């Protein structure tokens, strides 16, 4: 029927074949079944946790004051946008010169504009440049940027890559998800009494921490592989396959957490949200996907799309986002699905992405980084106790994603160098992690203090990737694939 159903059927078939091999079946049971069993036990244990007095700044309040609604100061808005673009390009260029992904520089530029730096060294200037009443407009524009970005992520996602890589890819991809998911939930047993409150259930908190630990920045990973000429190597194709599974699984679990959290504060019952999402997916993958082939044929016939067809794609993207928001999820889920149902012709996909990419990357995403920086206050992480928690989060994130992936890859027959390199690549979080964290802060599953700690974790784990990859797997060691599926 639909592409996602077809993907799950292929995935299930490959998993069944994997389990038919006794040695691989035992490995799969240990590396995938074990963490899943631990996750179930943790969720049961968490029900009896009592909340300790929260640390300073760790309670669930909005990261920024309530946003005033009114006509924006257009001169101030233009100045803000200009400053954000200038700083993001400058810091991004500097960070690229030391071998780091540009996204790290753009994240750092956002932090420089927020209370972590500008608000600390020049609070008066910060208040003048980014007054509270102007943040609502920046937030709205940043959300538009996320919608376009997630549409492109869905469009670029190749759900068949895992099937082509064979049974070992199934083992590694599943283990690379459930290991950090379970470890994040275990970490929640320690963090929940200290950094949460009674408005958030332990299940919501634990599952969100698990998702945040298991996320991989698919676009950043692909860019690192491309820059190092590893896309066509055995390591590169395996990394793309595992990241594809991680994207699908992570967003599905996050959608459940968001629906669960919003259901407690919404008049829409959870069963109506689930039913509405099911109908939405059936319509998108069963009807809209078929209709989109007509747009693909129009492109193949003329080499471009008319303005009417481009307008239709924009409307599809916006309506899809609006529907998931109305169902109690988030705008980005609808945008992701809109991208996932698009035709998979490579030229057509590149054509559509080119029409969205410049505006999104040069203007809208820097606004998202700036807004994230304005919500992040590293000053809230104060005292040895808070920094100790931050260190624990970073160690757990690296152990779950890098460690879990590396062990699974080695058990699947890859050499240790390749296994560690694959773990380092999957440990890249980048922009995707920031999107997840902002959603968690919006629905108040995490507190501003925990949000700041997790942003630090996202920066550290992403910056680790290039030097660690160069150390364990220089480009000269890349092995090209002999043929697909091997």
């Amino acid at each position: 029927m639909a592409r996602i159903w077809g993907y799950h059927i292929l995935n299930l078939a490959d998993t069944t074949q994997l389990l038919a091999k006794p040695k691989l079946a035992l490995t799969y049971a240990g590396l995938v079944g074990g963490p899943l069993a631990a996750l179930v036990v943790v969720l049961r244990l968490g029900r009896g946790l009592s909340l300790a007095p929260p640390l300073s700044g760790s309670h669930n309040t909005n990261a920024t004051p309530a946003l005033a609604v009114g006509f924006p100061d257009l001169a101030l808005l233009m100045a803000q946008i200009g400053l954000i673009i200038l700083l993001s390009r400058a810091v991004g260029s500097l960070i690229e010169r030391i071998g780091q992904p540009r996204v790290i520089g753009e994240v750092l530029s956002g932090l420089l504009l927020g209370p972590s730096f500008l608000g600390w060294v020049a609070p008066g200037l910060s208040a003048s440049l980014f007054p509270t009443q102007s943040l609502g407009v920046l937030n709205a524009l940043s959300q538009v940027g996320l919608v376009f970005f997630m549409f492109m992520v869905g469009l670029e996602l190749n759900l068949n890559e895992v099937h082509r890589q064979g049974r070992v890819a199934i083992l590694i991809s599943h283990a690379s998800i459930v290991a950090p998911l379970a470890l994040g939930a275990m970490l929640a047993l320690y963090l929940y009494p200290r950094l949460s409150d009674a408005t958030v259930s332990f299940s919501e908190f634990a599952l969100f921490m698990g998702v945040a630990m298991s996320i991989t920045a698919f676009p950043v990973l692909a860019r690192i592989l491309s820059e190092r000429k590893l896309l066509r190597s055995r390591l590169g194709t395996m990394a793309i396959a595992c990241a594809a599974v991680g994207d699908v699984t992570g967003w599905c679990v996050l959608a459940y957490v968001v629906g669960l959290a919003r259901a407690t504060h919404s008049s829409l019952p959870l069963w109506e949200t689930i039913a509405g999402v099911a109908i939405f997916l059936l319509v998108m993958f069963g009807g809209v996907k078929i209709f989109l082939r007509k747009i693909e044929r129009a492109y193949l016939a003329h080499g471009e799309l008319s303005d009417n067809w481009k307008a239709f794609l924009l409307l599809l993207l916006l309506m899809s986002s609006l529907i998931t928001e109305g169902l109690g999820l988030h705008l980005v889920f609808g945008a992701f699905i809109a991208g996932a149902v698009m035709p998979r012709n490579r030229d057509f996909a590149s054509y559509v992405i080119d029409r969205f990419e410049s505006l999104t990357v040069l203007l809208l995403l820097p606004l998202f980084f700036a807004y994230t920086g304005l919500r992040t206050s590293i000053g809230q992480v104060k005292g040895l106790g808070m920094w100790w928690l931050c260190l624990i989060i970073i160690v757990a994130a690296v152990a779950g994603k890098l460690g879990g992936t590396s062990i699974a890859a080695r058990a699947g027959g890859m050499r240790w160098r390749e296994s560690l390199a694959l773990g380092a690549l999957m440990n890249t979080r980048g922009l995707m992690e920031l999107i997840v964290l902002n959603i968690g802060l919006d629905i108040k599953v995490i507190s501003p203090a925990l949000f700041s700690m997790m942003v630090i974790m996202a920066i550290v784990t992403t910056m680790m990737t290039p030097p660690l990859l160069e150390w364990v797997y220089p480009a000269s060691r890349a092995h090209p694939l002999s043929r697909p599926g091997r």
Side-chain angles (χ1 to χ4, degrees):
M1 182 192 73
R3 181 176 180 80
I4 279 185
W5 283 109
Y7 155 73
H8 282 304
I9 291 172
L10 290 173
N11 201 351
L12 180 59
D14 283 338
T15 305
T16 304
Q17 294 177 21
L18 181 150
L19 295 177
K21 305 281 186 180
K23 184 177 179 180
L24 281 178
L26 288 174
T27 305
Y28 186 91
L31 294 177
V32 178
L36 284 177
L39 176 62
V40 173
V41 172
V42 166
L43 292 177
R44 292 182 66 87
L45 289 174
R47 295 175 185 174
L49 282 181
S50 58
L51 292 168
L55 296 171
S56 176
S58 65
H59 54 287
N60 269 311
T61 59
N62 291 326
T64 55
L67 303 179
V69 179
F71 192 78
D73 183 337
L74 294 181
L76 178 62
L77 178 61
M78 294 302 104
Q80 290 174 339
I81 293 175
L83 176 61
I84 290 167
I85 293 175
L86 178 63
L87 190 60
S88 67
R89 300 307 296 177
V91 180
S93 297
L94 288 174
I95 209 75
E96 277 187 321
R97 293 184 179 182
I98 61 172
Q100 291 291 335
R102 174 175 283 275
V103 66
I104 289 295
E106 293 172 340
V107 172
L108 292 177
S109 69
L111 292 177
L112 290 175
L113 293 173
S116 299
F117 182 76
L118 184 61
W120 174 53
V121 300
L125 178 61
S126 176
S128 299
L129 284 174
F130 298 99
T132 301
Q133 63 269 23
S134 72
L135 299 184
V137 180
L138 281 180
N139 180 34
L141 291 174
S142 71
Q143 294 300 311
V144 174
L146 289 188
V147 166
F148 283 113
F149 177 76
M150 289 307 298
F151 172 75
M152 292 190 293
V153 170
L155 182 55
E156 290 181 318
L157 190 62
N158 187 351
L159 296 178
N160 291 326
E161 191 67 44
V162 179
H163 178 60
R164 287 198 289 267
Q165 289 305 309
R167 303 183 190 100
V168 174
I170 296 294
L171 166 66
I172 298 173
S173 60
H174 287 183
S176 70
I177 298 164
V178 299
L181 186 68
L183 192 58
M186 293 178 190
L187 181 61
L189 287 171
Y190 184 74
L191 296 180
Y192 179 71
R194 295 165 175 81
L195 295 175
S196 191
D197 58 38
T199 63
V200 180
S201 72
F202 176 78
S203 295
E204 295 168 13
F205 185 85
L207 288 174
F208 181 85
M209 289 299 298
V211 172
M213 293 292 181
S214 62
I215 274 297
T216 294
F218 187 89
V220 178
L221 180 148
R223 183 169 181 176
I224 291 173
L225 290 172
S226 178
E227 289 175 351
R228 295 175 59 84
K229 296 180 173 57
L230 291 172
L231 272 175
R232 299 297 178 185
S233 69
R234 178 172 55 190
L235 172 65
T237 53
M238 187 68 74
I240 292 294
C242 294
V245 175
D247 269 1
V248 174
T249 306
W251 288 107
C252 286
V253 178
L254 182 61
Y256 171 77
V257 175
V258 173
L260 192 65
R262 285 189 167 179
T264 59
H265 306 287
S266 172
S267 58
L268 191 67
L270 184 59
W271 72 267
E272 288 188 14
T273 296
I274 295 173
V277 170
I279 294 171
F280 169 69
L281 292 176
L282 285 173
V283 171
M284 292 295 287
F285 285 95
V288 174
K289 182 177 176 65
I290 296 174
F291 179 79
L292 287 173
R293 293 173 187 165
K294 183 176 180 179
I295 301 181
E296 181 186 24
R297 288 193 294 268
Y299 168 78
L300 295 176
H302 302 96
E304 62 179 357
L305 292 178
S306 67
D307 288 342
N308 286 336
W309 280 130
K310 294 174 187 175
F312 174 82
L313 292 180
L314 280 173
L315 289 173
L316 173 65
L317 169 59
L318 297 174
M319 286 301 299
S320 181
S321 302
L322 183 61
I323 289 171
T324 54
E325 179 72 20
L327 288 172
L329 299 182
H330 196 277
L331 291 166
V332 298
F333 296 108
F336 180 78
I337 295 299
V341 301
M342 294 291 289
R344 293 295 146 179
N345 179 278
R346 182 174 298 178
D347 292 336
F348 174 76
S350 296
Y351 175 85
V352 175
I353 289 173
D354 286 345
R355 298 303 175 275
F356 286 88
E357 192 168 29
S358 294
L359 177 67
T360 303
V361 172
L362 295 179
L363 174 62
L364 298 177
L365 282 184
L367 299 184
F368 169 74
F369 292 128
Y371 185 68
T372 300
L374 291 168
R375 308 179 85 181
T376 304
S377 178
I378 297 178
Q380 293 189 22
V381 186
K382 48 191 172 185
L384 288 178
M386 295 286 278
W387 281 106
W388 171 247
L389 294 180
C390 186
L391 179 62
I392 291 175
I393 290 171
I394 294 173
V395 171
V398 174
K401 198 66 177 178
L402 191 154
T405 303
S406 300
I407 292 172
R410 179 58 182 155
M414 296 179 71
R415 295 189 301 273
W416 266 119
R417 279 189 178 273
E418 284 185 315
S419 301
L420 290 172
L422 182 60
L425 286 166
M426 296 299 291
N427 194 46
T428 303
R429 288 176 171 84
L431 175 57
M432 303 298 286
E433 179 76 5
L434 296 184
I435 295 174
V436 171
L437 295 180
N438 274 275
I439 292 174
L441 188 59
D442 287 338
I443 63 176
K444 299 183 181 179
V445 170
I446 58 174
S447 65
L450 182 55
F451 174 81
S452 298
M453 294 179 192
M454 297 294 283
V455 169
I456 295 172
M457 179 271 289
I459 294 173
V460 171
T461 54
T462 305
M463 292 186 72
M464 284 175 56
T465 301
L468 185 58
L469 188 61
E470 177 61 32
W471 179 55
V472 302
Y473 198 79
S476 59
R477 291 181 172 271
H479 293 278
L481 287 171
S482 57
R483 66 176 185 268
R486 294 295 296 272

